[in-house]
């Protein structure tokens, strides 16, 4: 009996997992109003959004007010299609949706006696009429092009207004339970809530951030500073929602190798040694693709770091720092006279 209950709970967990991952922390919502060329509202329009990389598709029908809504769309580039008998079929390509976005995109259909299609390629910014949260998104363009030291992509969060790496007396530093290193609106660094693909990435006991993915495996992430949804109830400061890359209908990959070496760098100013050792190598790559077109995909990522460095601790190493310099002695002598 106990074994049966155990099997039931495990199976229930597997069936619930996809539902738990579907939230605004990993997806976007797309909505809008459909009208004809005179501005009249059009109900009963078939609307579909298809991801141009994975083939994922969601469909809807506009209601009596001409409004359509397509919720829980994974971030990516979509093709939006609207069709109704007696009107031209309108296809919008290149509709870019990002994580946590409440996108609004209105569509206008033209009256037509024949079955025709109008294809529009767009990369214009989408209005977010229903957005209440104060949030910013770091996308692939920024991740790939902005300079960063150490490849900790969460450091890009410091570009967001109201976020700093402020250290307070309440931020105790324990290597086994590292903080996010980010302070939202002056809150301590353990007040930040981090998710990866909708999964909790914060330690339950210490509220510290667990290890994250390689920067190369990150598609984008949203930084919510204020007025975020109640589903992120564990955050006193801010919320960071990370979305990882996935496979697509095409095979794709990347590779990198970064080197820092004492032969290429200037000598450390604080080093007491004549020729201090300094070597750092970071390397890795990704590879993904289809297992079955439009259905199943795979994606793998690896990143490694090798370091051979000398550490310098110069505080109180030289007592001469407490002695006045010759110029200071001359000044003291002048003041004494």
């Amino acid at each position: 009996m106990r074994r049966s209950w155990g099997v039931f709970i495990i199976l229930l967990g597997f069936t619930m997992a996809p539902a738990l991952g579907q939230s605004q922390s990993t997806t976007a919502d797309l909505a809008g109003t459909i009208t004809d060329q005179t501005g009249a509202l059009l109900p009963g329009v078939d609307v579909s959004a298809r991801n141009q990389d994975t083939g994922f598709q969601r469909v809807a029908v506009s209601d009596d007010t001409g409004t359509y809504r397509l919720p829980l769309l994974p971030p990516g580039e979509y093709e939006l299609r609207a069709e109704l008998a007696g009107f031209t079929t309108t296809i919008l390509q290149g509709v870019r949706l990002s994580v946590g976005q409440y996108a609004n995109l209105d569509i206008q259909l033209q009256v037509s006696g024949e079955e025709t299609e109008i294809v529009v390629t767009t990369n214009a910014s989408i209005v977010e009429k229903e957005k209440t949260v104060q949030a910013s998104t770091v996308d692939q363009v920024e991740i790939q092009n902005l300079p960063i030291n150490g490849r900790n992509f969460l450091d890009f969060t410091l570009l967001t207004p109201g976020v700093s790496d402020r250290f307070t007396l309440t931020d105790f530093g324990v290597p086994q339970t590292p903080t996010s290193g980010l302070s939202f609106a002056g809150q301590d660094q353990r007040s930040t809530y981090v998710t990866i693909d909708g999964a909790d990435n914060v330690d339950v006991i210490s509220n510290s951030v667990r290890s994250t993915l390689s920067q190369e495996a990150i598609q984008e992430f949203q930084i919510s500073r204020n007025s975020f949804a109640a589903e992120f109830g564990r955050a006193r400061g801010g919320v960071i929602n990370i979305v990882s890359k996935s496979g697509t209908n095409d095979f794709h990959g990347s590779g990198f190798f970064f080197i820092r070496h004492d032969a290429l760098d200037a000598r450390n100013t604080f080093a007491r040694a004549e020729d201090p050792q300094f070597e750092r190598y970071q390397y890795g790559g990704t590879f993904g693709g289809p297992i079955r077109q439009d259905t199943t995909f795979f994606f793998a990522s690896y990143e490694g770091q090798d370091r051979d460095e000398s550490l310098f601790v110069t505080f109180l190493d030289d007592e001469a720092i407490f002695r006045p310099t010759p110029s200071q002695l001359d000044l003291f002598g002048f003041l004494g006279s």
Side-chain angles (χ1 to χ4, degrees):
M1 186 66 178
R2 292 180 179 176
R3 182 176 299 176
S4 299
W5 273 108
V7 173
F8 172 76
I9 293 174
I10 293 174
L11 292 177
L12 181 62
F14 278 112
T15 57
M16 289 178 63
L20 293 175
Q22 298 294 316
S23 71
Q24 204 63 28
S25 65
T26 58
T27 61
D29 290 350
L30 177 62
T33 302
I34 304 178
T35 60
D36 62 14
Q37 64 266 38
T38 66
L41 302 174
L42 293 178
V45 180
D46 294 321
V47 184
S48 64
R50 183 180 184 275
N51 189 297
Q52 297 182 221
D53 292 323
T54 64
F56 174 86
Q57 183 170 280
R58 195 173 293 282
V59 298
V61 179
S62 61
D63 59 19
D64 294 338
T65 64
T67 302
Y68 73 92
R69 183 174 296 276
L70 297 164
L72 303 177
L73 295 171
E77 198 165 285
Y78 283 83
E79 177 185 272
L80 187 63
R81 185 184 186 98
E83 48 190 335
L84 179 66
F87 293 83
T88 58
T89 298
T90 299
I91 301 174
L92 302 178
Q93 295 181 339
V95 178
R96 173 70 190 174
L97 299 178
S98 59
V99 57
Q101 190 175 28
Y102 295 90
N104 188 279
L105 186 59
D106 297 333
I107 305 174
Q108 186 180 86
L109 301 184
Q110 305 290 329
V111 176
S112 177
E114 300 178 355
E115 293 186 1
T116 56
E117 292 184 352
I118 298 178
V119 180
V120 179
T121 302
T122 177
N123 56 3
S125 300
I126 297 178
V127 178
E128 295 185 78
K129 295 181 180 179
E130 302 178 19
K131 182 177 180 179
T132 59
V133 60
Q134 295 182 7
S136 305
T137 302
V138 178
D139 57 20
Q140 270 297 296
V141 175
E142 295 168 307
I143 293 175
Q144 292 180 1
N145 293 283
L146 289 176
I148 189 170
N149 181 23
R151 291 181 57 80
N152 179 10
F153 62 91
L154 287 179
D155 287 346
F156 291 135
T157 306
L158 297 173
L159 301 175
T160 305
V163 182
S164 67
D165 55 354
R166 171 178 172 268
F167 180 82
T168 67
L169 294 177
T170 59
D171 296 326
F172 57 92
V174 181
Q176 290 76 15
T177 57
T179 69
S180 65
L182 304 169
S183 172
F184 286 74
Q187 294 286 341
D188 67 83
Q189 298 172 346
R190 295 190 183 277
S191 300
T192 305
Y193 183 58
V194 181
T195 68
I196 298 180
D197 294 330
D200 190 329
N201 197 49
V202 176
D203 186 84
V204 178
I205 298 176
S206 64
N207 215 45
S208 59
V209 179
R210 301 188 180 101
S211 298
T212 56
L213 301 176
S214 164
Q215 178 177 316
E216 207 74 7
I218 301 301
Q219 178 176 328
E220 60 187 45
F221 60 96
Q222 182 193 46
I223 306 152
S224 300
R225 306 184 298 276
N226 201 348
S227 302
F228 40 80
E231 63 180 295
F232 309 113
R234 290 181 56 191
R236 300 192 310 271
V239 176
I240 301 176
N241 297 319
I242 303 169
V243 177
S244 65
K245 292 180 181 178
S246 69
T248 65
N249 284 324
D250 298 318
F251 290 100
H252 63 279
S254 63
F256 64 91
F257 182 83
F258 298 105
I259 178 174
R260 296 179 64 181
H261 197 281
D262 51 55
L264 305 174
D265 294 353
R267 179 181 176 275
N268 190 310
T269 305
F270 300 100
R272 300 297 298 273
E274 186 67 28
D275 187 20
Q277 183 76 15
F278 184 84
E279 296 179 15
R280 182 182 298 177
Y281 307 99
Q282 288 181 277
Y283 49 88
T286 64
F287 184 68
I291 297 177
R292 184 178 180 183
Q293 292 283 329
D294 294 338
T295 305
T296 309
F297 311 92
F298 73 92
F299 184 85
S301 170
Y302 174 79
E303 178 163 342
Q305 181 182 107
D306 294 337
R307 301 173 61 177
D308 188 2
E309 308 172 12
S310 301
L311 298 179
F312 309 107
V313 181
T314 58
F315 182 67
L316 296 180
D317 185 58
D318 186 0
E319 296 181 358
I321 63 175
F322 297 105
R323 304 191 187 101
T325 63
S327 59
Q328 291 172 334
L329 290 174
D330 293 340
L331 177 62
F332 296 151
F334 172 77
L335 294 176
S337 62

